[in-house]
């Protein structure tokens, strides 16, 4: 029997707004094609731009969240909740009908964050204790916990030692786009992400480009996104007096992926790194810090992209310069990137979701 599915998301499901929203929209569209009924519930309404949502979308109410959620679950005869993080802050598993199963998807890599914390020993221990409580709660209240790559199971156990392997399912994020046609590449770099220095390190990209701009007069870089540190990024950009580094703000990255030759990432950590896979789908050669587990499942160093010693901006600039100088190497890696990223095409990922939901 087909199950009616409720996706619970931190922000409204609008595929132009970010990674979680894009993968939720994509998975929901596939499930609908397979005959499932889908409903969205979100916490924040963050975008006023018009967007045609694929399914009914509800927003949590401030004073009666749990009652409201239960009403929606009963109204739509929900059998499976796919928790894209945050569900248990508003509704406990014990309150749900016993027939409702909850699948939680881990979109954060706390293990990758942990060594990056600039805290003293006591505060770091307290942070680990807080994460232990959070992950224990997720584990206890979920019927399944979905992680993106196999090592994430052991990383989860770092905080939650009693977790059992059978509680987990390994399903990576699917590719965002449906087999895009490659377009002629320009001498452009691209960086896409939130301006949040703790993990995205936008200013690293500005430093790296400042070392290259005068050496590569035919090249330019587009930086897409904004965020809590946006003002600081803009000030640093002005301070460096960069000429061919364009801060574009929040834009649909698709046309930029089409033109860019290289997709750059400077993150301290990610759970997966969809910016890389999206760029690779368009034949952009990826370059990133070797700073989190999943990046080695996306970039195979010197084969379909470049990995750099974490936070070494000099090495990053040198390896990026080599790539910019060598057109034949870029073409070779571009073809390899488009081929290797097919592992995450919908037809390879979504059957895993169908199997999980049906079982």
């Amino acid at each position: 029997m087909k199950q009616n599915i409720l996706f619970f998301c931190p922000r409204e499901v609008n595929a132009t707004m970010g990674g979680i929203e894009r993968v939720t929209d994509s998975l929901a569209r596939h499930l609908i094609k397979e005959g499932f009924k889908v409903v969205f519930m979100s916490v924040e309404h963050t975008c006023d731009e018009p967007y045609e949502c694929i399914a009914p979308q509800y927003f949590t109410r401030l004073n009666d969240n749990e009652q409201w959620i239960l009403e929606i679950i009963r109204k739509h005869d929900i059998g499976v909740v796919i928790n894209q993080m945050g569900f248990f802050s508003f509704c406990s598993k014990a309150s749900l009908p016993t027939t409702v199963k909850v699948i939680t998807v881990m979109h954060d890599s706390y293990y990758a964050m942990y060594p990056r914390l600039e805290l003293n020993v006591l505060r770091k221990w307290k942070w680990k204790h807080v994460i232990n409580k959070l992950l224990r709660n997720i584990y206890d209240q979920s019927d399944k916990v979905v992680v993106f790559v196999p090592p994430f199971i052991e990383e989860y156990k770092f905080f939650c030692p009693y977790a059992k392997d059978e509680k987990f399912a390994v399903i990576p994020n699917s590719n965002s786009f449906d087999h895009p046609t490659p377009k002629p590449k320009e001498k452009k770099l691209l960086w896409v992400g939130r301006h949040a220095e703790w993990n995205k390190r936008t200013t690293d990209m500005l430093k790296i480009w400042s070392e290259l701009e005068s050496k590569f007069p035919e090249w330019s870089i587009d930086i897409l996104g904004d965020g809590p540190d946006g003002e600081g990024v803009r000030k640093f950009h002005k301070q460096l007096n960069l000429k061919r580094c364009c801060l574009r703000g929040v834009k649909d990255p698709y046309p930029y992926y089409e033109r860019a030759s290289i997709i750059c990432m400077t993150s301290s950590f990610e759970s997966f790194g969809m910016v890389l896979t999206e760029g690779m789908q368009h034949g952009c050669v990826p370059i990133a810090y070797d700073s989190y587990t999943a990046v080695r499942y996306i970039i195979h160093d010197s084969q379909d992209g470049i990995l750099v010693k974490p936070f070494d901006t000099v090495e990053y600039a040198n390896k990026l310069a080599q790539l910019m100088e060598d057109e034949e190497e870029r073409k070779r890696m571009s073809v390899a990137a488009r081929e290797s990223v097919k592992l995450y095409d919908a037809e390879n990922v979504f059957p895993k979701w169908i199997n999980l939901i049906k079982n």
Side-chain angles (χ1 to χ4, degrees):
M1 184 175 71
K2 298 292 185 185
Q3 294 278 18
N4 296 341
I5 298 167
L6 171 69
F7 283 90
F8 189 92
C9 301
R11 296 171 296 276
E12 79 257 39
V13 180
N14 177 332
T16 67
M17 291 302 293
I20 293 178
E21 295 76 30
R22 200 142 51 242
V23 296
T24 300
D25 178 86
S26 181
L27 176 56
R29 289 174 186 272
H30 184 80
L31 291 173
I32 290 169
K33 286 180 182 177
E34 291 290 318
F36 293 86
K37 179 180 178 181
V38 170
V39 176
F40 298 141
M41 179 169 285
S42 305
V43 180
E44 297 179 18
H45 180 75
T46 55
C47 181
D48 295 322
E49 294 296 319
Y51 182 74
E52 187 175 348
C53 196
I54 193 68
Q57 182 153 216
Y58 298 91
F59 292 89
T60 54
R61 295 179 174 182
L62 290 177
N63 299 320
D64 58 352
N65 285 316
E66 185 163 280
Q67 180 184 349
W68 174 242
I69 291 169
L70 293 173
E71 286 178 11
I72 298 303
I73 285 173
R74 284 191 291 266
K75 177 181 177 180
H76 293 279
D77 192 23
I78 298 298
V80 175
V81 174
I82 297 180
N83 173 28
Q84 302 280 39
M85 299 304 289
F87 180 75
F88 300 122
S89 299
F90 300 92
C91 185
S92 70
K93 181 76 160 64
S95 301
L96 298 174
T98 56
T99 55
V100 176
K101 304 299 181 184
V102 179
I103 301 168
T104 295
V105 185
M106 294 303 303
H107 287 281
D108 290 315
S109 178
Y110 297 102
Y111 184 86
M113 293 181 199
Y114 186 69
R116 313 298 178 206
L117 296 172
E118 296 181 0
L119 303 174
N120 62 38
V121 173
L122 179 60
R123 292 182 68 190
K124 202 166 183 178
W125 178 87
K126 287 181 177 178
W127 188 87
K128 184 178 178 181
H129 181 68
V130 169
I131 298 303
N132 170 271
K133 288 178 65 177
L134 168 67
L135 296 188
R136 267 198 342 239
N137 184 53
I138 288 171
Y139 181 87
D140 291 339
Q141 297 208 60
S142 301
D143 294 285
K144 282 286 184 180
V145 178
V146 170
V147 295
F148 296 143
V149 295
F152 281 3
I153 297 174
E154 292 304 314
E155 292 180 5
Y156 198 107
K157 292 179 182 178
F158 174 77
F159 297 102
C160 187
Y162 72 89
K164 304 297 182 185
D165 289 0
E166 55 266 24
K167 191 70 169 274
F168 296 92
V170 179
I171 307 178
N173 278 329
S174 64
N175 284 328
S176 300
F177 309 115
D178 186 17
H179 308 298
T181 303
K183 299 289 180 66
K185 292 299 184 181
E186 301 174 20
K187 291 185 176 181
K188 284 183 174 291
L189 310 179
L190 178 63
W191 186 100
V192 182
R194 294 181 74 240
H195 296 333
E197 281 298 294
W198 181 45
N199 66 316
K200 300 296 185 180
R201 306 176 73 103
T202 321
T203 56
D204 273 22
M205 193 67 246
L206 298 182
K207 292 173 191 174
I208 292 161
W209 176 250
S210 71
E211 295 297 317
L212 301 176
E213 187 173 69
S214 63
K215 301 172 185 175
F216 294 90
E218 296 180 344
W219 284 78
S220 63
I221 181 170
D222 291 310
I223 293 183
L224 274 59
D226 207 337
D229 294 322
E231 187 58 33
V233 168
R234 287 184 282 274
K235 285 181 179 178
F236 191 55
H237 177 271
K238 187 175 181 180
Q239 178 185 327
L240 291 175
N241 194 31
L242 301 174
K243 304 299 184 185
R244 297 188 311 284
C245 173
C246 299
L247 302 181
R248 302 290 187 182
V250 178
K251 299 282 188 183
D252 179 359
Y254 195 97
Y256 293 90
Y257 287 134
E258 288 185 314
R259 295 192 295 270
S261 292
I262 302 169
I263 179 70
C264 302
M265 178 185 278
T266 51
S267 298
S268 296
F269 55 86
E270 296 280 346
S271 56
F272 192 67
M274 289 185 63
V275 163
L276 297 176
T277 56
E278 289 176 354
M280 291 166 74
Q281 278 197 280
H282 287 86
C284 304
V285 179
I287 180 169
Y289 290 134
D290 187 9
S291 58
Y292 66 99
T293 303
V295 74
R296 286 178 170 253
Y297 285 77
I298 298 171
I299 297 176
H300 306 89
D301 191 30
S302 300
Q303 298 177 39
D304 51 22
I306 302 293
L307 291 174
V308 179
K309 180 182 176 182
F311 322 130
D312 187 335
T313 56
V314 174
E315 179 180 311
Y316 198 120
N318 289 339
K319 287 189 172 183
L320 182 54
Q322 291 171 15
L323 197 56
M324 293 163 72
E325 288 171 341
D326 194 336
E327 184 176 0
E328 288 305 310
E329 183 70 350
R330 288 200 312 276
K331 287 180 178 178
R332 182 191 69 77
M333 284 195 179
S334 174
V335 172
R338 291 189 68 244
E339 190 62 33
S340 67
V341 82
K342 289 178 182 177
L343 176 66
Y344 304 115
D345 280 349
E347 54 264 36
N348 296 322
V349 174
F350 290 152
K352 298 178 182 178
W353 271 107
I354 300 296
N355 184 61
L356 177 60
I357 291 167
K358 285 183 176 179
N359 289 288

